[in-house]
Amino acid sequence: MSTASHTTDHATDHDHDHGPARGLSRWLLTTNHKDIGTLYLLFSLLMFFIGGAMALVIRAELFQPGLQIVDPYFFNQMTTLHALVMIFGAVMPAFVGLANWLLPMMVGAPDMALPRMNNWSFWIMPFAFTLLLSTLFMPGGGPAGGWTLYPPLVLQTGSAFPFVILAIHMMGASSIMGAINIIATILNLRAPGMTLMKMPLFVWTWLITAFLLIAVMPVLAGTVTMLLTDKFFGTSFFSAAGGGDPVMFQHIFWFFGHPEVYIMILPAFGVISQIIPTFARKPLFGYASMVYATASIAFLSFIVWAHHMFTVGMPLAGELFFMYATMLIAVPTGVKVFNWVSTMWRGAMTFETPMLFAIAFVILFTIGGFSGLMLAIAPADFQYQDTYFVVAHFHYVLVPGAVFSIMAAAYYWLPKWTGHMYNEKLGKLHFWLSVIGVNVLFFPQHFLGLAGMPRRIPDYALQFTEFNMVSTVGAFLFGFSQLFFLYNVIQTIRGGAKATDQVWEGAEGLEWTLSSPPPYHTFTTAPEIK
Amino acid sequence: MATSRIAHGGGIALGAALSLAWSVGAHADLTLNMPQGVTAISHDVYHLHMLIFWICVVIGVVVFGVMFWSIYHHRKSRGAVPAQFHESTLVEVLWTIVPMMILIGMAVPATGTLVRMYDARDAELTIKVTGYQWRWQYDYLDDGVKFFSTLSTPQAQIRNLAPKGEHYLLEVDHPLVLPVGKKVRILTTAADVIHSWWVPELGWKKDAIPGFINEVWTQIEKPGIYRGQCAELCGRDHGFMPIVVKALPEAEFRQWLEQMKKDSTSQTAQNDSRAPIVPGGQTL
Amino acid sequence: MVETREAGLAAANRRMVRRLLLVTAAMFGFGFALVPLYDVLCQVTGLNGKTSGRVAVVEPMKVDESRTVTVEFVASLNLGAPWEFAPQVTRMQVHPGQFYQTHFWAKNLTNQPMTGQAIPSISPGLAASHFQKIECFCFNHQRFQAGEGRQMPVTFRIDPELPPDVRTVTLSYTFFQN
């Protein structure tokens, strides 16, 4: 892997000596990758709490059988918006934020390739989400047909419908611009000597993710546009009455949707591949195979979409194809997990908060992978499909998977970004509460699904009571322990022990050659990579 | 020192979480697992599920075992000195090929089960199941018997104004009656949005899609009452359109069917798909 | 020196953005191209039991007297359609290759003229491409006067190439009101 010589002057370069502008206009007009990274990360944190509050409404209603707190229609709005907010508002922007902060510093570039576009792609997001959340107050309420927007149900949405579609278009445009920017940065702005196979894995996984984004976000845009014309302009893409087919929507949606799943997990793989070697004080095992595994996962993601719809009644050959293709994903994913374990093997490990989150990621993501493998088995999926087993599965890969990796990244790079060490004790407390909370929350949901509880229901039969109660307790524990994270982040931004430039003993990569915090403009002259 | 305490604490916490889950499972009459079901197919599916589950458990124990061993022994606080190796073609090839073999081992029985599930030949009875917002309609095509099946749990129980009955939310006014030991073909479709017809004891679910027809079959081995629910989000009362299947011995089934035929000729309204459908058949 | 490198970089970025936007536009188009692609796929594989909405080309076929296939007729009404709609017979035994005719009964139960269309679906899906219709009420919108009811014909044959393990074919019509 790459090592940099300290040729860069830590002080701000002479021909770019202006610092940040003052006041609000700094944030509104900024084209600085660090500022935009910060904006993305803070926005994502806000969305994480909004989406989390929705999840707590869901879990509170499900604490006991019977309808206690919300009306079933509002419950459906909560499940729908929880998903949209968490996917498009929390997880994706968090990774884009990390990309903004880190990619230029990791490849030795002065900034992102297209700084003005960077500003637009961020500032679309607050508008998109204000629009999306405002639909809750519209006549007929917000979207309640699930985030998958299946017609004909989604066409029963009230006056919120066109606004939801518009919000999705805006999020899509933002993601596409972000992805273009990332690809241009990685391919055009690498410092001399930084060959592709010397790039840190976080850069690699983001490069592949960005290609996935520009391949599938336009497909999502296309299909939601078809929904719009079906509803308002008399087309019948998805209505059997006019010769269309509602199942076709599912095919097109999941053609986007499955790569989307990997869009949310590949950068997480990158983060974990940065953190584990640091705290094992040993180089990443199988760097090249990590890159190839990521690329194969990305490729496979385009040919497995119909495993989300095994029960729609496909011909036998179709079911078999999608079953085999889906099972294949286990191979590159397994390679990654084995590589992480081998990186730890015979290292000299310490367990600071980022490492704790990374280890929890490896274990809990793998559990999510196991249930994914079970779900890939089409005949068994006829039982699992649309039950809490699926809910448990994708939450295991998304919460202790994607979200834990984001938290690991936050703790790992926060000292670099702010120049202050976070509170380690508080970080560990946050970790242990989160890891216990998340398991109490989602593990019982496996049992619920196997015992026959469908997902997306506001009320349930009596035999599901105990596990739902346990799950709800876990949800509140997990939810409220995130306040420690919030507090810790705020305290670290405001002050705290001074962080060294190296921060972590075993950390390697260009970003650690910069001061903590790095100057407003970095690498205005490219570093030399040996 | 500090790190060992942490690793230790982790073990305790994880153990506590698991034992909590298990102790809750132990004393209530709780189902932790998929039902074995009452058809040959549901047995196959159950065994397939358990097979994959145990394979995953074994892989998990090995991988996490290695990892925890490493976490325990290769700690800086124990004076571990990091090795510098970072690749090994042999192990990398091995851990690509071995999982491949395991996957093939899983795919073979899965394919067999799937092929059997798709073989709907020589069914002796065909029933059309139509999903509505929010109830089911059953149509015995050859006998002209057709009726709606709606949730029968009283509103008071849902609203927590009355104690909940044993089959809370899993009870209907008119269950689907099926003969035991006969191969029954079920055609699913829907009249408004997509629904999904699912009885876990039968081993599968099938989407009911407006304008399209799907076929699936079952052959119940044991008389009894089997309960399920709509499994595809279908609007406000998605959680309130259960399915109840009453499996009767052949002779009793015939008797029931004759009775239904007589009834349906006297009250045509039951037989008519126009039977007034109040959107949201039950208002919550 | 630095100037030219920066200018070169700006040009490279522009080129990259142009290319990636092209990919984006192409993928947006691809989303729409999936619609006809899906129809082709349905016709080839019988995915979802869609049948062609057109009159089949009548080519003489050898009637396979040795084989009997059961054809089931199913009628459904989409919600809110105030109609009566039912097949004349629920099942027929047919020989592949031979033409048969049956009727579906439909009646407008309102006191206004109404139009509707019947949408076919065939199960198993694999049989869809082997089910040929030369006359079908489902090809067109059907207009009914207030209270009018009539028998609507469908003339069909089963292609002898129908996979041998298919013994029952279900022809389902769902009546949608326009």
Side-chain angles (χ1 to χ4, degrees):
Chain A
M1 293 252 306
S2 59
T3 44
S5 54
H6 288 249
T7 49
T8 334
D9 194 348
H10 283 169
T12 319
D13 221 273
H14 299 294
D15 35 325
H16 290 285
D17 56 354
H18 56 88
R22 274 163 219 279
L24 193 63
S25 66
R26 164 175 176 187
W27 300 104
L28 276 176
L29 303 175
T30 183
T31 56
N32 180 285
H33 73 103
K34 299 182 183 77
D35 284 353
I36 292 172
T38 306
L39 284 172
Y40 264 112
L41 288 169
L42 293 178
F43 176 77
S44 135
L45 192 61
L46 174 67
M47 287 297 137
F48 180 61
F49 280 101
I50 292 176
M54 290 173 177
L56 291 185
V57 171
I58 295 168
R59 281 317 319 170
E61 176 57 53
L62 291 173
F63 183 63
Q64 282 182 315
L67 294 176
Q68 290 87 17
I69 299 169
V70 293
D71 156 85
Y73 192 73
F74 187 75
F75 182 90
N76 289 346
Q77 294 175 44
M78 285 293 106
T79 54
T80 305
L81 285 174
H82 163 71
L84 289 172
V85 167
M86 285 303 201
I87 293 168
F88 294 102
V91 175
M92 286 168 68
F95 284 126
V96 179
L98 291 175
N100 262 292
W101 252 107
L102 296 169
L103 294 185
M105 295 192 336
M106 283 179 162
V107 300
D111 202 314
M112 296 295 278
L114 309 152
R116 254 173 304 175
M117 194 158 93
N118 208 5
N119 175 291
W120 302 337
S121 57
F122 172 76
W123 279 108
I124 289 174
M125 298 293 284
F127 293 98
F129 279 88
T130 309
L131 189 61
L132 182 68
L133 293 172
S134 71
T135 60
L136 276 173
F137 307 100
M138 288 179 184
W147 82 279
T148 50
L149 306 169
Y150 283 4
L153 182 62
V154 73
L155 302 175
Q156 295 181 350
T157 310
S159 39
F161 183 72
F163 299 99
V164 174
I165 302 295
L166 181 60
I168 290 174
H169 273 305
M170 289 163 76
M171 297 168 203
S174 161
S175 300
I176 290 168
M177 287 198 275
I180 289 177
N181 208 343
I182 284 166
I183 295 174
T185 306
I186 297 174
L187 294 185
N188 287 351
L189 294 191
R190 289 190 319 272
M194 173 73 78
T195 59
L196 285 176
M197 288 312 268
K198 273 187 187 167
M199 296 194 307
L201 255 163
F202 181 71
V203 181
W204 254 116
T205 52
W206 242 118
L207 179 64
I208 292 167
T209 304
F211 275 109
L212 285 182
L213 273 169
I214 62 163
V216 300
M217 292 308 289
V219 176
L220 175 70
T223 191
V224 298
T225 305
M226 289 182 223
L227 281 180
L228 202 67
T229 60
D230 266 15
K231 171 105 172 173
F232 295 109
F233 303 106
T235 59
S236 44
F237 288 107
F238 308 127
S239 155
D245 183 349
V247 174
M248 182 174 73
F249 175 85
Q250 301 185 16
H251 280 286
I252 305 178
F253 180 86
W254 287 112
F255 181 84
F256 144 81
H258 201 76
E260 167 68 21
V261 172
Y262 293 126
I263 286 166
M264 290 190 284
I265 204 68
L266 295 185
F269 291 164
V271 167
I272 300 305
S273 304
Q274 300 298 129
I275 291 175
I276 289 181
T278 297
F279 295 97
R281 291 169 181 76
K282 186 166 157 274
L284 182 70
F285 187 87
Y287 172 86
S289 68
M290 282 297 213
V291 173
Y292 301 139
T294 311
S296 0
I297 292 173
F299 168 75
L300 286 172
S301 76
F302 285 104
I303 56 163
V304 298
W305 74 87
H307 69 220
H308 294 271
M309 33 193 296
F310 276 144
T311 61
V312 297
M314 276 183 289
L316 179 61
E319 301 262 340
L320 288 174
F321 171 79
F322 287 109
M323 173 169 84
Y324 299 148
T326 305
M327 291 169 78
L328 269 184
I329 294 181
V331 176
T333 314
V335 166
K336 290 194 155 283
V337 173
F338 300 144
N339 281 339
W340 289 322
V341 172
S342 309
T343 305
M344 291 184 217
W345 185 257
R346 290 186 50 211
M349 276 183 271
T350 52
F351 302 91
E352 288 86 347
T353 311
M355 182 63 163
L356 290 176
F357 273 106
I359 290 173
F361 172 96
V362 174
I363 298 170
L364 299 175
F365 172 80
T366 304
I367 291 177
F370 286 145
S371 56
L373 182 58
M374 295 171 77
L375 284 159
I377 309 293
D381 182 77
F382 293 160
Q383 287 278 37
Y384 308 136
Q385 169 81 26
D386 272 320
T387 67
Y388 259 83
F389 191 79
V390 177
V391 176
H393 157 71
F394 68 72
H395 280 98
Y396 258 86
V397 291
L398 284 177
V399 184
V403 172
F404 271 24
S405 84
I406 293 165
M407 286 170 177
Y411 284 112
Y412 184 60
W413 281 293
L414 208 53
K416 173 55 64 188
W417 297 336
T418 62
H420 306 129
M421 275 314 277
Y422 61 87
N423 181 333
E424 186 68 52
K425 267 213 183 89
L426 204 56
K428 281 187 173 136
L429 178 69
H430 169 229
F431 167 77
W432 285 113
L433 290 177
S434 292
V435 85
I436 293 167
V438 92
N439 282 294
V440 176
L441 164 55
F442 294 119
F443 208 78
Q445 295 185 357
H446 290 114
F447 303 136
L448 285 172
L450 292 175
M453 180 167 162
R455 63 191 283 207
R456 293 166 167 165
I457 56 172
D459 191 5
Y460 49 81
L462 299 182
Q463 70 262 36
F464 305 131
T465 310
E466 286 79 1
F467 284 134
N468 269 299
M469 283 185 169
V470 173
S471 182
T472 298
V473 170
F476 278 84
L477 175 62
F478 179 75
F480 281 95
S481 50
Q482 302 320 309
L483 295 174
F484 290 110
F485 178 63
L486 182 67
Y487 176 80
N488 208 347
V489 169
I490 291 171
Q491 288 303 107
T492 312
I493 294 172
R494 294 171 55 146
K498 181 90 188 76
T500 61
D501 292 356
Q502 176 64 28
V503 185
W504 310 108
E505 186 191 5
E508 279 191 45
L510 287 178
E511 74 267 34
W512 308 107
T513 65
L514 298 165
S515 63
S516 301
Y520 197 55
H521 295 284
T522 43
F523 295 130
T524 40
T525 40
E528 244 177 76
I529 319 293
K530 276 185 236 157
Chain B
M1 197 39 209
T3 43
S4 97
R5 222 177 39 237
I6 286 148
H8 201 64
I12 289 172
L14 215 74
L18 282 176
S19 65
L20 175 68
W22 283 108
S23 68
V24 169
H27 54 73
D29 185 21
L30 280 185
T31 23
L32 288 164
N33 203 353
M34 183 190 285
Q36 295 226 21
V38 289
T39 67
I41 287 292
S42 71
H43 293 153
D44 285 359
V45 168
Y46 172 82
H47 292 299
L48 196 57
H49 156 71
M50 289 316 286
L51 171 77
I52 315 290
F53 171 72
W54 285 116
I55 292 176
C56 289
V57 168
V58 170
I59 298 173
V61 166
V62 171
V63 174
F64 299 148
V66 171
M67 191 170 115
F68 280 116
W69 199 90
S70 174
I71 286 176
Y72 186 76
H73 290 277
H74 304 148
R75 275 177 294 149
K76 201 185 173 204
S77 55
R78 286 173 62 101
V81 178
Q84 285 304 313
F85 67 87
H86 56 86
E87 58 190 355
S88 158
T89 313
L90 178 71
V91 288
E92 287 176 63
V93 167
L94 264 180
W95 68 41
T96 310
I97 289 174
V98 173
M100 272 309 258
M101 310 294 251
I102 297 174
L103 288 179
I104 292 169
M106 292 175 175
V108 171
T111 305
T113 306
L114 200 59
V115 168
R116 281 194 292 285
M117 283 176 135
Y118 266 73
D119 181 8
R121 277 177 298 175
D122 305 325
E124 294 178 60
L125 179 68
T126 305
I127 292 168
K128 187 178 80 166
V129 174
T130 311
Y132 287 80
Q133 281 175 320
W134 290 276
R135 53 176 162 172
W136 295 97
Q137 187 188 41
Y138 300 115
D139 185 348
Y140 295 69
L141 289 177
D142 297 321
D143 305 282
V145 171
K146 191 173 185 179
F147 56 88
F148 279 101
S149 176
T150 312
L151 176 75
S152 62
T153 302
Q155 279 300 306
Q157 292 189 14
I158 297 171
R159 289 280 163 212
N160 305 310
L161 302 171
K164 297 182 180 16
E166 186 191 354
H167 298 298
Y168 176 70
L169 293 191
L170 295 179
E171 50 200 349
V172 296
D173 51 359
H174 305 291
L176 171 67
V177 181
L178 294 179
V180 167
K182 296 279 168 197
K183 188 162 181 176
V184 181
R185 223 165 123 250
I186 292 177
L187 302 171
T188 63
T189 187
D192 34 49
V193 300
I194 301 173
H195 302 267
S196 188
W197 198 83
W198 180 36
V199 176
E201 301 272 356
L202 304 189
W204 46 259
K205 63 179 67 71
K206 199 70 163 180
D207 289 0
I209 300 162
F212 293 86
I213 197 138
N214 267 328
E215 72 172 24
V216 70
W217 65 274
T218 191
Q219 185 167 354
I220 300 175
E221 289 167 348
K222 221 170 71 185
I225 291 179
Y226 309 112
R227 296 166 200 274
Q229 284 179 270
C230 176
E232 177 68 51
L233 179 61
C234 59
R236 194 188 60 210
D237 289 350
H238 163 56
F240 303 92
M241 50 182 291
I243 296 150
V244 178
V245 172
K246 194 170 164 188
L248 293 177
E250 163 100 69
E252 281 175 54
F253 170 76
R254 287 285 150 209
Q255 222 177 343
W256 172 84
L257 197 62
E258 288 311 312
Q259 187 60 41
M260 286 302 282
K261 273 196 224 174
K262 251 184 261 160
D263 291 357
S264 69
T265 39
S266 59
Q267 52 166 167
T268 38
Q270 264 285 313
N271 193 17
D272 194 345
S273 52
R274 284 178 303 120
I277 292 151
V278 189
Q282 60 145 23
T283 317
L284 287 163
Chain C
M1 188 62 197
V2 173
E3 290 280 298
T4 52
R5 215 189 63 208
E6 272 179 10
L9 194 62
N13 283 342
R14 266 200 304 278
R15 252 197 325 275
M16 178 77 72
V17 171
R18 252 201 316 275
R19 272 190 220 145
L20 293 175
L21 282 177
L22 221 59
V23 175
T24 307
M27 286 311 291
F28 186 72
F30 178 71
F32 285 88
L34 282 172
V35 176
L37 262 169
Y38 180 77
D39 282 343
V40 170
L41 206 72
C42 286
Q43 244 139 59
V44 175
T45 65
L47 192 74
N48 226 4
K50 267 185 140 180
T51 58
S52 91
R54 282 183 308 271
V55 183
V57 187
V58 186
E59 285 163 6
M61 274 180 184
K62 218 175 140 246
V63 177
D64 185 354
E65 299 270 348
S66 64
R67 188 173 168 200
T68 308
V69 176
T70 306
V71 179
E72 272 182 349
F73 301 100
V74 176
S76 308
L77 281 171
N78 200 49
L79 195 66
W83 300 78
E84 251 172 42
F85 184 48
Q88 184 188 31
V89 291
T90 54
R91 58 179 67 216
M92 278 170 100
Q93 307 291 328
V94 305
H95 295 303
Q98 179 148 353
F99 280 108
Y100 295 86
Q101 190 179 50
T102 186
H103 290 84
F104 277 66
W105 164 258
K107 186 177 182 196
N108 175 0
L109 295 169
T110 67
N111 49 16
Q112 286 162 11
M114 295 272 220
T115 29
Q117 184 163 20
I119 301 296
S121 172
I122 285 176
S123 185
L126 284 175
S129 54
H130 301 285
F131 197 94
Q132 302 176 331
K133 287 168 285 186
I134 53 163
E135 183 191 11
C136 181
F137 56 93
C138 60
F139 293 154
N140 310 99
H141 289 274
Q142 298 286 329
R143 190 169 174 80
F144 285 75
Q145 293 309 315
E148 183 193 347
R150 63 171 182 259
Q151 296 281 1
M152 302 186 297
V154 51
T155 306
F156 66 91
R157 99 183 142 182
I158 299 235
D159 185 338
E161 311 252 296
L162 180 77
D165 53 341
V166 178
R167 294 181 203 162
T168 306
V169 175
T170 305
L171 173 60
S172 156
Y173 285 108
T174 306
F175 209 80
F176 287 82
Q177 186 185 325
N178 283 87

